[in-house]
Amino acid sequence: MNSKKKLLITAAAFIIVIILAVIAYRVLAKRSAADNLMPAGESSETSAQTDFPEGTSENSSGNTQGSETVESDSEASSSGESGSSSDDSDSSNPVPEFSMTNADGDSVSISDLTGKPVIINFWASTCPYCLDEMPHFQDMYDAYSEDINFVMLDIIGFNGETEADGRAYIEAQGYTFPVYYDTESEATYAFGLRSLPMTLFIDKDGNMIAYANGRIDADILQQGIDMLLEN
């Protein structure tokens, strides 16, 4: 009888530990996305754990900030800050020009999409944090596609990411938002990308008004959209 009681107590304790772990994970995940929407011109530190040296597939442990580090040759040609190409003293923050490949294989310049607000999300199918936030982007695309251009930009080479990987993931999940591919690393160089995911909020004139390093939730994404539509 005592052995049965001990077994029941052990099982109950194990279940409680699992429940507490799930609760703690959800709380930490929510906190990690709570304050990472930054006005353009302000910097945000990210503690990332996954390196991106020349397309390697090496992957180390994640972190509570909801981002993974990108380290490539772009570091040598950038200022080392994510989401900003300069420290202009005026209030405008023009997004640097770069080209990407659309789903049809055609080259598209980011300037081709200005004229109405733009949201750029840098992602990769090999980035778990990126995948966590994608349903929110689909929901917002369904709601705001007429008012905002969505650019879901797959960073080729991140953790061994290939264009085929990205295409396969999008197809498998049934996402319908516009997907682009950084096949020539132009976006990686233009922004000196150091972590994924990252999201930029750009007004209709091509000026970045806010950005978020790391995973964001639906509330943060909505805040960024509200900022765009108020401009």
Side-chain angles (χ1 to χ4, degrees), residues 6 40 50 53-55 76-77 95 100 105 109 115 127 141 144 147 154-155 167 174 198 207 217 222:
K6 289 181 180 180
T50 302
E54 310 250 358
S77 61
V95 174
M100 52 198 166
S109 296
C127 165
Y141 172 72
Y144 294 101
D147 303 310
D154 187 6
I155 303 302
R167 287 180 179 273
M198 185 168 77
N207 293 307
D217 58 21
Q222 184 67 64

Side-chain angles (χ1 to χ4, degrees), residues 70-135:
V70 174
E71 290 183 5
S72 69
D73 291 341
S74 61
E75 292 190 38
S77 61
S78 69
S79 62
E81 294 187 5
S82 295
S84 177
S85 60
S86 64
D87 295 322
D88 294 338
S89 58
D90 57 32
S91 58
S92 64
N93 290 280
V95 174
E97 181 68 14
F98 67 92
S99 295
M100 52 198 166
T101 303
N102 65 16
D104 295 325
D106 300 321
S107 179
V108 177
S109 296
I110 190 61
S111 58
D112 294 337
L113 301 177
T114 55
K116 68 179 183 180
V118 178
I119 294 175
I120 305 177
N121 176 254
F122 301 100
W123 69 280
S125 65
T126 51
C127 165
Y129 300 120
C130 302
L131 308 186
D132 286 346
E133 63 183 11
M134 277 197 166

